[in-house]
Amino acid sequence: AWQRRADQALSGLGVPASIVAVRSATGEVLAVSNHGTKGENRAMEAEYPAGMAFSIISAEALLNTGISQNTKTTCPESVNVGGRTFTNPGKTARGESTLQMNFAHSCATTLASLSGRLNANALIAEAGKFGLGKNWAMSVPAFSGTVPTPKNDAEKAALMLGEGVKVNPLAMALVAG
C-alpha cells in the first residue's frame, strides 16, 4: 500500500521526481519511487545539494548547545561571518524573533550568525547522528550523503545552510524521520 501511494504521488508529474517514505520510529524504508528518471534510482543513489533542508541538523546542533527554541534571535537581511556575507534571498529582514520562528521562516542569516556557537566537529557529528555519511549497511546501493569539513568560520556558516552537503531523498527522509 505504501509503494502504491508513493507511485501515485509522482504519476502525474511532467518532470523527473523521486520520493521515499520511512517509518520514523525505526528508519524502516516503506516505499521508494522514481518517476521519469530513465531507470536511475535517484531516490537512493543520487547526490543533490542539501541547501536549507540541512538546517534541521544545524538547528538540532544549536539546541544541543543550550539554546532553546524560544531564544531570541534576529533575522537581518545580511550578516557577515568570517569575511563572507550571507543574505536571505527574496526575503526581507524579520527583526527579532525566536529561534523557532526564524527556523520556520528559513532565515539563513539567523543560522549563519549563530554558527559561532558551534565548533565544526559538533556540527559534523550531529549530521552523523542523523545518518549522513554513515554506512547504512543496506542490501541495495544507497548514498548516505556527505558533509564537508569547514576550514574557517565562513565555511562553517555556509555549512549551517547546507552548502557543500550532498544528500538524496532517502537521506532526507531519514533525517526528517
Side-chain angles (χ1 to χ4, degrees), residues 66-85:
I67 293 175
S68 83
Q69 63 186 13
N70 297 317
T71 297
K72 296 291 182 199
T73 58
T74 60
C75 181
E77 271 187 59
S78 66
V79 65
N80 187 294
V81 179
R84 179 172 167 192
T85 300

Side-chain angles (χ1 to χ4, degrees), residues 13-26:
L13 297 176
V15 295
S18 300
I19 190 171
V20 175
V22 299
R23 187 175 313 280
S24 63
T26 63

Side-chain angles (χ1 to χ4, degrees), residues 10 15-19 33-43 46 48:
L10 301 182
V15 295
S18 300
I19 190 171
S33 186
N34 292 285
H35 171 77
T37 62
K38 299 179 182 171
E40 294 177 26
N41 187 0
R42 293 184 187 176
Y48 297 109

